[in-house]
Amino acid sequence: MATMTVQRLHELFEENPGKDILSWNGACHDCGDTMEVSATPMEDGIHISGGSVYEPAPQNFFLKCDPCFQKDSALRNFQKCEVYSRVVGYLRPVSQWNDAKQEEFRDRKLFDASIA
Ligand SMILES: [Zn+2]
């Protein structure tokens, strides 16, 4: 997952005419520290300071501070993971199972059936 592209930044400036700076306030997705990222168009391109901005879905922004970006530039764990498993002979999302079946799913144990 890459950070926001230069093209997308230009689009955002076009969507917000008259704005000479774009900024995002919030918490770093990884460490939770409060942070602000700003993008300023200059003659030599758009200057970004304060960290990184991710937009995995339109208008759904996530921020990462520079130390966290240095550690891992990928945006992880930002959406729910749908787990499918077998229930009464069918593969269905576990989130759609009834409470009793979900409890039974949590009791299941993984084992390695390969023969060495
Ligand atoms: Zn951070």
Side-chain angles (χ1 to χ4, degrees), residues 83-109:
V83 175
Y84 280 67
S85 193
R86 192 186 62 81
V87 62
V88 292
Y90 298 91
L91 285 172
R92 303 285 306 152
V94 174
S95 63
Q96 293 175 16
W97 295 10
N98 69 37
D99 292 347
K101 287 288 183 198
Q102 287 191 26
E103 197 60 43
E104 180 264 315
F105 180 76
R106 282 187 278 271
D107 290 342
R108 291 184 185 182
K109 300 262 188 284

Side-chain angles (χ1 to χ4, degrees), residues 31-45:
C31 70
D33 282 358
T34 304
M35 58 180 289
E36 178 178 352
V37 180
S38 60
T40 317
M42 307 262 192
E43 280 183 19
D44 60 342

